[in-house]
Amino acid sequence: MMPLLPRHFCLASFLLLLILQPSTPDLESDKSALSAFRAAVGGRSLLWNLSAPPCSWTGVICDNNQQIIELHFPGMGLSGTLPAGVLANLTTVQTLSLRYNALSGPIPPDIANLTALRNIYLQGNFFSGEIPPSLSSLQNLVRLNLADNKLTGSIPSSLNALSRLKTLYLEQNQINGTIPVLTMKLDQFNVSFNRLTGSIPSSLSGMPKSAFEGTSLCGPPLSSCNDATTGGGSGGGGSKLSGGAIAGIVIGSVFGLLVILLILIFLCRKRKAKKEAKDVEVAAAAKQAGGTAGYSLGKSQSDGNSLVFFGNHKGMFDLEDLLKASAEVLGKGTFGTTYKATVDMGGLTVAVKRLKDLAVPEKEFTEKMKEIGEVEHENLVPLRAYYCNRDEKLLVYDHMPTGSLSALLHGNTATSARTPLNWDTRSSIALGAARAITHLHSRGPVSSHGNIKSSNVLLTKSYEARVSDFGLAQIAIPTTIPSRINGYRAPEVTDAQRVSQKADVYSFGVLLLELLTGKAPANSQLNEEGVDLPRWVQSVVREEWTAEVFDLELLRYQDVEEDMVQLLQLALECTAQHPDKRPSMAVVTARIEEIRSQSATLHHHNADDGSI
Ligand SMILES: *[C@@H]1O[C@H](CO)[C@@H](O)[C@H](O)[C@H]1NC(C)=O
Ligand SMILES: *[C@@H]1O[C@H](CO)[C@@H](O)[C@H](O)[C@H]1NC(C)=O
Ligand SMILES: *[C@@H]1O[C@H](CO)[C@@H](O)[C@H](O)[C@H]1NC(C)=O
Ligand SMILES: *[C@@H]1O[C@H](CO)[C@@H](O)[C@H](O)[C@H]1NC(C)=O
Ligand SMILES: *[C@@H]1O[C@H](CO)[C@@H](O)[C@H](O)[C@H]1NC(C)=O
């Protein structure tokens, strides 16, 4: 390994050295390349001490041999054009992250000289021009993210030379033409919101529909290409059809249409007959498509048993009201579907959770309900009533109009978009949820929540946290097969019904990481990095590039970065692999209180940025 070159190293011996050790990394040239890079695009934002070695510079990550292997400059306010010849010298770089800056102009073709590159993250800039065909020489490339730029031209078929490529994100550009047949085995792919036309190559038909949104593409997974739209496709097959073939197609189509019509008529008649016979059943079941659905108990079921109320809600409404109420699906949770029901009298709105299957006998269920109904805490969603007979179990909770933290952070429901949340709101949600869980844990050594995740943290109108679904993990059977992929479950948990307090702490730690990074633990965007949220954060923090992990919305509040780092530290302690290494919820709550009291004293961020 060659040491740093002294200032007055004479040129002749320098050249000699190069000849003798042609493969030795040239730190001095790395340094001059990075200086040129900084001068071109980041004069004011990259505060580097140029007299110190580059490996100590923010965002520059070296391996043990002092070779630069990663460059991370996300959301650093870089702007301007990347000059040609600057990147080419950084030959050892494996990861280049310039995402979410204001870089413009073409992607320099000499990026192709960085033959060690495995990951390129250029999303969220203003890069224009075409995707450089020279990228095809980057044989080691695994992830290429050029999304959210102003790229034009078409997708070069030369990308097929990238046989190791797993991720190709090109969404939100102005790319036109057709998608070439891509032969590599892609795990992640997105070309949404481009000017692409023609049919989707069959090798990509297994991708989700949302990978092709906002384009004029057709074919699976989108609706099939009919003759009219594929006819004009450019650069496609272009083979001419003979007159006979056309006649054949026309006759075939007419015949096909007739057959379809006949089948439809037949089906309609059949359905009508059935409908008359089974009217009640149909009304109860098949409303899903319209977005609303009902839970219908049927006449025979609503006999005898009635709603069991807790607290002073008794008499506000009865089972009959609940069944008559107009219901709307709020979401499908771990243990069943939740509906929003407006009970006629007084326009009272409640959330009704319909449990799928019980894991315990009815008697035990009733006891557990009583226990849950007794729990009261300002940060818990109270259970108001329940209904239980052999076939149906309904739980009635207060309805939280602002929805869940998950919906707010990720905008993952049809009705809600991602809402910008500032540090103050996020840390206060963290504190509220921590207090609620601490309260649950204080009820006894075996009392745990069992299913902590952002979709179970609901919010009031003023964004105070209300934790829901507590205690259900012990009595209900999940509707989906629980898997570690959901991202919140502690590594030691094998039985979902036996969740310890320390496992709750782990899940809460993941929730904290989610609040800080803005990344959903089960999100495919995250798994672009191939690991779960705690391990991803650990790997980034280990590289001493902590700012990389934070949600961009949070990075605007530079004055609280120290607090954010402290909360991150706490989250990592909560997600320790070994349960004994995790702090108790009481300790977690106390530490969040402490962190928040620090930021309250120097709390002065502008409120005019549209965030909450
Ligand atoms: C790249 O390296 C070469 C040789 O080491 C050097 O002459 C050139 O100035 C470098 N380019 C930049 C932009 O640093
Ligand atoms: C810059 O780095 C040099 C060499 O490591 C060091 O002596 C100097 O104090 C540093 N300057 C600043 C402002 O940190
Ligand atoms: C990049 O690679 C090409 C071909 O491999 C070479 O001709 C060119 O000089 C290289 N550019 C730089 C700046 O090293
Ligand atoms: C794509 O757009 C470019 C201009 O950005 C244009 O020159 C080219 O003809 C277009 N190609 C197709 C296939 O529409
Ligand atoms: C593709 O990108 C669009 C726009 O950013 C997004 O809405 C969609 O969810 C993405 N789909 C996939 C499969 O990544």
Side-chain angles (χ1 to χ4, degrees):
M1 177 59 222
M2 196 175 73
L4 253 178
L5 289 169
R7 286 267 166 76
H8 305 293
F9 209 83
C10 90
L11 187 64
S13 37
F14 177 43
L15 288 177
L16 188 69
L17 242 175
L18 277 186
I19 292 160
L20 289 177
Q21 297 177 291
S23 63
T24 314
D26 185 348
L27 254 195
E28 204 56 33
S29 105
D30 282 350
K31 196 168 174 175
S32 84
L34 282 175
S35 306
F37 171 83
R38 186 177 83 142
V41 299
R44 273 173 303 168
S45 39
L46 298 173
L47 304 169
W48 294 336
N49 178 353
L50 291 185
S51 44
C55 294
S56 69
W57 296 349
T58 310
V60 179
I61 291 159
C62 299
D63 64 7
N64 294 336
N65 298 324
Q66 303 299 300
Q67 291 193 359
I68 298 179
I69 50 167
E70 296 185 20
L71 295 174
H72 289 269
F73 310 122
M76 301 282 287
L78 308 182
S79 62
T81 305
L82 286 175
V86 159
L87 292 177
N89 272 4
L90 300 162
T91 46
T92 54
V93 171
Q94 296 170 9
T95 297
L96 177 66
S97 169
L98 302 176
R99 59 198 171 95
Y100 301 110
N101 283 293
L103 298 169
S104 52
I107 296 172
D110 63 344
I111 195 171
N113 289 47
L114 306 188
T115 47
L117 269 179
R118 294 168 53 83
N119 308 302
I120 299 180
Y121 303 110
L122 299 182
Q123 69 268 35
N125 283 286
F126 304 112
F127 285 115
S128 55
E130 305 205 346
I131 300 170
S134 62
L135 282 179
S136 59
S137 60
L138 297 176
Q139 297 293 322
N140 294 312
L141 207 57
V142 179
R143 300 187 184 92
L144 177 59
N145 193 334
L146 304 177
D148 199 1
N149 277 295
K150 294 174 180 300
L151 298 172
T152 53
S154 55
I155 302 174
S157 55
S158 62
L159 289 184
N160 273 321
L162 305 176
S163 56
R164 296 190 186 162
L165 197 66
K166 292 283 176 225
T167 301
L168 180 59
Y169 281 147
L170 300 174
E171 66 267 23
Q172 302 188 58
N173 279 291
Q174 293 151 28
I175 298 167
N176 65 7
T178 54
I179 305 182
V181 174
L182 295 173
T183 50
M184 67 291 244
K185 170 114 195 34
L186 291 171
D187 292 336
Q188 293 170 313
F189 178 80
N190 200 336
V191 290
S192 291
F193 303 103
N194 278 295
R195 297 172 186 165
L196 292 164
T197 53
S199 61
I200 296 168
S202 60
S203 59
L204 296 171
S205 61
M207 294 291 167
K209 275 185 188 163
S210 71
F212 306 97
E213 267 175 89
T215 64
S216 311
L217 291 162
C218 62
L222 304 182
S223 53
S224 79
C225 307
N226 60 42
D227 295 351
T229 54
T230 48
S234 59
S239 60
K240 289 236 162 75
L241 291 170
S242 72
I246 291 174
I249 290 172
V250 169
I251 292 169
S253 308
V254 169
F255 183 73
L257 267 178
L258 270 177
V259 170
I260 290 172
L261 257 176
L262 280 176
I263 291 174
L264 274 179
I265 291 170
F266 177 73
L267 278 181
C268 281
R269 291 195 159 191
K270 201 169 173 190
R271 179 174 289 180
K272 210 171 180 184
K274 244 190 182 166
K275 191 179 160 115
E276 276 153 16
K278 290 184 148 194
D279 212 7
V280 187
E281 196 177 305
V282 171
K287 282 201 262 173
Q288 303 275 6
T292 62
Y295 40 85
S296 169
L297 306 186
K299 279 213 181 83
S300 62
Q301 293 175 357
S302 60
D303 55 357
N305 290 355
S306 65
L307 283 173
V308 180
F309 281 90
F310 300 106
N312 53 6
H313 266 58
K314 190 158 180 64
M316 295 275 284
F317 53 90
D318 58 25
L319 187 61
E320 204 68 9
D321 294 327
L322 200 58
L323 298 181
K324 275 192 306 199
S326 64
E328 180 189 323
V329 176
L330 282 176
K332 290 201 171 28
T334 315
F335 303 112
T337 305
T338 305
Y339 304 86
K340 171 181 155 185
T342 307
V343 188
D344 272 345
M345 279 197 321
L348 180 70
T349 305
V350 293
V352 181
K353 186 179 268 291
R354 181 186 195 189
L355 294 188
K356 191 84 169 37
D357 288 304
L358 289 189
V360 294
E362 225 169 86
K363 187 156 174 291
E364 209 172 306
F365 171 79
T366 321
E367 277 164 18
K368 189 75 191 177
M369 283 294 107
K370 192 158 169 290
E371 205 182 306
I372 294 176
E374 278 171 3
V375 183
E376 265 182 64
H377 188 272
E378 54 173 359
N379 293 111
L380 287 171
V381 182
L383 177 66
R384 294 304 186 192
Y386 76 93
Y387 171 85
C388 168
N389 76 2
R390 208 178 31 157
D391 308 301
E392 194 72 68
K393 276 94 197 157
L394 302 176
L395 312 187
V396 182
Y397 293 97
D398 283 2
H399 174 242
M400 295 287 144
T402 311
S404 75
L405 176 61
S406 169
L408 240 57
L409 278 178
H410 316 301
N412 54 3
T413 68
T415 48
S416 72
R418 194 179 145 97
T419 310
L421 295 173
N422 66 29
W423 164 251
D424 191 47
T425 309
R426 288 188 206 212
S427 59
S428 111
I429 291 171
L431 181 57
R435 283 180 176 153
I437 302 162
T438 307
H439 179 76
L440 291 176
H441 288 188
S442 72
R443 294 173 51 83
V446 295
S447 171
S448 65
H449 182 288
N451 193 20
I452 296 165
K453 54 181 181 175
S454 60
S455 54
N456 278 340
V457 176
L458 307 181
L459 300 163
T460 66
K461 281 209 180 81
S462 50
Y463 294 91
E464 285 160 39
R466 297 280 188 276
V467 175
S468 75
D469 261 27
F470 51 95
L472 300 188
Q474 290 90 347
I475 52 170
I477 293 174
T479 51
T480 50
I481 295 164
S483 70
R484 193 144 293 145
I485 301 166
N486 81 18
Y488 293 93
R489 182 178 293 188
E492 76 275 10
V493 175
T494 49
D495 179 352
Q497 278 164 253
R498 291 167 203 271
V499 169
S500 67
Q501 296 188 347
K502 284 294 164 103
D504 271 356
V505 173
Y506 181 95
S507 308
F508 183 74
V510 177
L511 183 86
L512 285 182
L513 292 176
E514 187 176 0
L515 270 168
L516 286 166
T517 61
K519 288 173 186 284
N523 187 327
S524 65
Q525 293 276 356
L526 170 73
N527 288 331
E528 187 184 335
E529 320 277 345
V531 291
D532 65 12
L533 192 48
R535 268 191 294 162
W536 177 75
V537 171
Q538 273 158 8
S539 71
V540 178
V541 172
R542 217 176 11 244
E543 306 284 11
E544 293 181 2
W545 181 235
T546 307
E548 166 102 336
V549 306
F550 292 121
D551 191 339
L552 282 167
E553 281 161 10
L554 281 173
L555 281 178
R556 285 187 300 204
Y557 308 105
Q558 293 296 331
D559 56 338
V560 292
E561 187 163 341
E562 187 49 38
D563 303 329
M564 282 157 44
V565 171
Q566 284 183 24
L567 193 60
L568 186 74
Q569 184 56 42
L570 178 60
L572 289 177
E573 286 169 39
C574 291
T575 53
Q577 288 290 306
H578 201 280
D580 294 343
K581 293 238 169 72
R582 299 173 203 148
S584 71
M585 264 331 278
V587 168
V588 172
T589 304
R591 288 206 16 212
I592 300 176
E593 276 166 356
E594 198 181 311
I595 293 169
R596 266 183 60 79
S597 68
Q598 292 164 13
S599 43
T601 53
L602 48 103
H603 171 77
H604 56 266
H605 59 256
N606 8 330
D608 57 358
D609 57 10
S611 71
I612 292 158

